[in-house]
């Protein structure tokens, strides 16, 4: 009963559909929740531009998920790739499984987090004396089937960034201590944010983020006033604001669910795939990650727009997000704003 009462006092979240501007960041987040295999998003921008607000807002608008009750990994009741070992054993033994619906997990990774805090720990003493694998789950376990947000990711230790990217790409986290190994599902959307003034990520790590969104401080005075007024109004009467945007929030929620269901049937013509790879080749993008992510993001965008087939317009909307951070060869170079990507895209696709 205590936990149920506490839920009533959850901090109100600013509605996603009420956020003004920052379209690039919003689109990147939406596409990643439609297809988590895009590989996450890196959001770089000035301080105080609403990065954290927007990320918390996308988590709030997502539909609830069904998990196995009291399971530390938010295990799925039937998908083996999203299931912890204990749940798998229970299913094999035909045991009954209780489930519950929860909000999509949104895990904040603090800058000072240790590897044990992130990955989890194995109690060696318990394992040796009692002969059981005593595992204390970490943040990656909590984030399974949800979002993992790292603010100021450019200040995080490179080794930890590597671990996060590996888990996000493979969907699994493996912890090994003294010859004992534990593996559990860790399928999440990795969202990193940072301020370019405090340093960029190394190109090798940056390349492994599926998308890169840039946000800038709004220059238009009238729009700035509107943003400030809306935020002030929300802080004063959050419940009224949430009610005001309830219909739009529900409409977006349904659009996301429909896109997730439609995604696997979306087609991308061979000619368009060839042109995407031509753009990557002309931009001298290393490896094939750029081609793969662009293909995935184009399909996700088409699904979001309610289409069964990718159009040139879908590719145009997402290609800057997918490729701009892959052009940098020198760690001292700044990231291209995307103009170079747009120029080559227009040439290859023969647009005016």
């Amino acid at each position: 009963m205590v936990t149920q009462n506490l839920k009533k006092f959850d901090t109100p979240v600013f509605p996603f559909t009420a956020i003004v501007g920052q379209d690039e960041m919003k689109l990147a987040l939406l596409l990643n929740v439609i297809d988590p295999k895009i590989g996450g998003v890196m959001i770089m921008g000035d301080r105080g531009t609403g990065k954290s607000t927007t990320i918390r807002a996308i988590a709030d608008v997502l539909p609830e998920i069904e998990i196995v009750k009291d399971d530390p990994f938010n295990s799925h009741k039937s998908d083996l790739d999203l299931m912890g070992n204990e749940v798998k054993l229970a299913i094999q033994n035909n045991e009954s499984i209780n489930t519950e619906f929860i909000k999509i997990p949104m895990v904040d990774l603090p800058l000072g987090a240790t590897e044990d805090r992130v990955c989890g720990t194995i109690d060696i003493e318990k394992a040796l004396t009692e002969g059981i694998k005593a595992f204390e789950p970490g943040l990656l376990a909590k984030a399974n089937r949800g979002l993992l947000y790292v603010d100021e990711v450019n200040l995080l230790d490179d080794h930890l960034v590597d671990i996060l990217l590996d888990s996000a790409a493979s969907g699994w986290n493996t912890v090994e201590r003294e010859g004992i190994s534990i593996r559990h599902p860790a399928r999440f959307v990795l969202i990193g944010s940072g301020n370019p003034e405090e340093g960029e990520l190394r190109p090798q790590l940056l390349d492994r983020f599926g998308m890169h969104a840039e946000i800038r401080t709004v220059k238009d005075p009238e729009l700035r006033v509107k943003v400030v007024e809306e935020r002030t109004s929300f802080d004063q009467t959050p419940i009224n604001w949430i009610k005001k945007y309830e219909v739009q929030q529900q409409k977006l929620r349904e659009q996301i669910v429909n896109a997730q269901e439609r995604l696997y049937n979306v087609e991308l013509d061979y000619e368009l795939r060839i042109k995407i790879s031509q753009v990557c080749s002309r931009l001298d993008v290393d490896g094939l990650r750029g081609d793969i992510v662009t293909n995935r993001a184009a399909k996700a965008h088409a699904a979001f727009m309610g289409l069964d087939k990718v159009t040139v317009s879908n590719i145009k909307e997402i290609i800057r997000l997918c490729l701009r951070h892959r052009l940098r060869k020198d760690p001292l170079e700044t990231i291209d704003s995307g103009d170079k990507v747009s120029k080559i895209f227009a040439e290859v696709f023969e647009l005016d």
Side-chain angles (χ1 to χ4, degrees):
M1 281 302 291
V2 178
T3 44
Q4 283 183 338
N5 290 339
L6 284 174
K7 281 179 184 175
K8 292 178 186 174
F9 297 102
D10 280 352
T11 309
V13 177
F14 195 83
F16 188 80
T17 47
I19 292 168
V20 177
Q22 310 304 13
D23 295 333
E24 219 178 66
M25 168 168 58
K26 281 158 48 179
L27 179 63
L29 290 170
L30 282 167
L31 297 182
N32 269 277
V33 297
I34 290 166
D35 183 4
K37 288 183 180 173
I38 285 172
V41 55
M42 179 70 186
I43 301 162
M44 291 300 266
D46 306 327
R47 291 181 296 274
T49 43
K51 297 188 286 287
S52 300
T53 301
T54 309
I55 291 157
R56 281 175 180 73
I58 187 77
D60 193 59
V61 83
L62 294 175
E64 290 188 335
I65 56 168
E66 188 178 9
I67 66 160
V68 174
K69 203 169 183 181
D70 300 325
D71 182 79
F73 311 116
N74 306 319
S75 289
H76 195 284
K77 64 174 183 179
S78 56
D79 188 336
L80 289 172
D81 286 337
L82 299 172
M83 198 185 285
N85 285 333
E86 284 183 19
V87 178
K88 282 181 190 169
L89 287 170
I91 288 172
Q92 284 169 4
N93 297 331
N94 293 320
E95 293 174 25
S96 63
I97 288 172
N98 295 323
T99 62
E100 63 179 334
F101 282 88
I102 64 162
K103 292 195 83 162
I104 288 265
M106 161 82 188
V107 176
D108 274 297
L109 189 135
L111 266 185
T114 60
E115 186 178 336
D116 282 351
R117 178 82 183 93
V118 174
C119 300
T121 54
I122 298 171
D123 187 334
I124 301 296
E125 192 178 334
K126 202 170 187 181
L128 294 174
T129 55
E130 298 178 31
I132 55 170
K133 291 180 178 178
F135 181 60
E136 184 64 40
L139 295 174
L140 293 182
K142 280 187 184 175
N144 186 37
R145 300 178 67 197
L147 312 176
L148 182 63
Y149 174 44
V150 191
D151 193 13
E152 308 293 356
V153 68
N154 43 339
L155 302 180
L156 195 66
D157 181 63
D158 276 357
H159 171 60
L160 275 181
V161 178
D162 239 347
I163 289 170
L164 294 176
L165 289 162
D166 280 340
S167 293
S170 68
W172 292 90
N173 172 43
T174 306
V175 182
E176 293 185 351
R177 299 283 185 277
E178 311 292 335
I180 298 168
S181 179
I182 300 268
R183 187 170 181 259
H184 71 77
R187 183 86 57 85
F188 53 84
V189 175
L190 180 61
I191 304 166
S193 70
N195 180 354
E197 290 174 10
E198 289 160 350
E200 293 272 15
L201 271 183
R202 287 190 291 117
Q204 301 92 306
L205 292 175
L206 199 53
D207 173 64
R208 292 178 57 191
F209 277 91
M211 292 179 147
H212 185 286
E214 276 193 350
I215 48 176
R216 294 274 171 263
T217 305
V218 178
K219 300 292 182 202
D220 178 20
E222 286 182 17
L223 196 54
R224 287 174 79 118
V225 169
K226 187 184 176 189
V227 172
V228 172
E229 283 177 350
E230 289 193 346
R231 182 70 222 197
T232 308
S233 172
F234 171 78
D235 289 338
Q236 287 168 350
T237 55
I239 304 304
N240 293 351
W241 260 79
I242 289 165
K243 282 180 182 169
K244 180 181 169 185
Y245 282 91
E246 210 167 339
V247 174
Q248 285 160 273
Q249 291 280 96
Q250 187 55 34
K251 193 178 169 188
L252 179 60
R253 197 171 285 122
E254 286 166 8
Q255 197 177 351
I256 291 168
V257 171
N258 291 338
Q260 288 170 333
E261 289 169 357
R262 184 188 295 271
L263 181 65
Y264 297 101
N265 298 319
V266 174
E267 292 177 14
L268 177 55
D269 284 345
Y270 180 72
E271 291 75 21
L272 293 181
R273 295 204 299 271
I274 287 285
K275 286 189 172 181
I276 286 170
S277 289
Q278 269 184 292
V279 173
C280 293
S281 179
R282 289 268 305 270
L283 289 167
D284 196 23
V285 172
D286 288 338
L288 296 174
R289 198 173 274 129
D291 308 52
I292 294 166
V293 169
T294 307
N295 285 346
R296 281 193 181 284
K299 284 184 176 183
H301 191 272
F304 184 62
M305 301 310 289
L307 305 173
D308 293 318
K309 207 169 189 179
V310 173
T311 65
V312 175
S313 174
N314 297 134
I315 300 168
K316 185 180 181 182
E317 288 295 318
I318 56 90
I319 198 158
R320 287 161 69 120
L321 288 165
C322 299
L323 298 182
R324 65 148 69 97
H325 56 301
R326 303 179 198 279
L327 310 186
R328 194 173 61 146
K329 306 295 179 198
D330 183 346
L332 298 176
E333 279 179 39
T334 54
I335 289 177
D336 184 76
S337 64
D339 294 341
K340 192 175 178 185
V341 176
S342 297
K343 182 172 175 283
I344 298 296
F345 169 80
E347 287 175 13
V348 170
F349 282 79
E350 296 168 3
L351 302 175
D352 294 330

